[in-house]
Amino acid sequence: QVLLTESGGGLVQPGGSLRLSCAASRRALSAYTMGWFRQAPGKEREFVATNNRGGGITYYADAVKGRFTISRDNARNTFYLQMDSLRPEDTAVYYCAADPFGNVGAMTASDYNYWGQGTQVTVSS
């Protein structure tokens, strides 16, 4: 069992930045594909970004490409989402997810087995 805990969400003005963290309860992050997803009220959960267990292969949704950056520190069992130039439409609950099978480029929620509880990001004036 792996417990994922997101942190770093909050209220930010348009154009601002936030950094989300996802901490894993076990030292197993180095073996997992990791992903970020988000879900806004009334909408389905959507893919944001993912990278492989080594962190060298990264994919982003078109809506966030050029503004968001994912990274990981496997030694600290932590996965990050740096969000810059935030827009109101980025408002959502953001979820960290882990694929223990290490599939590369996983972009659908069904590819992931472990999920965090989510952290709220609100972009508003």
Side-chain angles (χ1 to χ4, degrees), residues 48-116:
V48 175
T50 182
N51 70 8
N52 72 308
R53 62 190 184 185
I57 304 173
T58 303
Y59 299 90
Y60 296 93
D62 288 342
V64 306
K65 196 171 186 178
R67 299 187 297 118
F68 291 10
T69 305
I70 57 172
S71 61
R72 65 169 68 200
D73 187 341
N74 286 336
R76 297 182 183 274
N77 302 309
T78 305
F79 184 52
Y80 302 97
L81 178 65
Q82 176 68 43
M83 304 183 292
D84 299 317
S85 301
L86 283 162
R87 305 165 181 169
E89 52 263 42
D90 295 318
T91 296
V93 176
Y94 283 71
Y95 297 91
C96 175
D99 167 22
F101 296 99
N103 294 299
V104 176
M107 299 181 187
T108 62
S110 62
D111 290 326
Y112 294 86
N113 297 95
Y114 300 106
W115 292 84

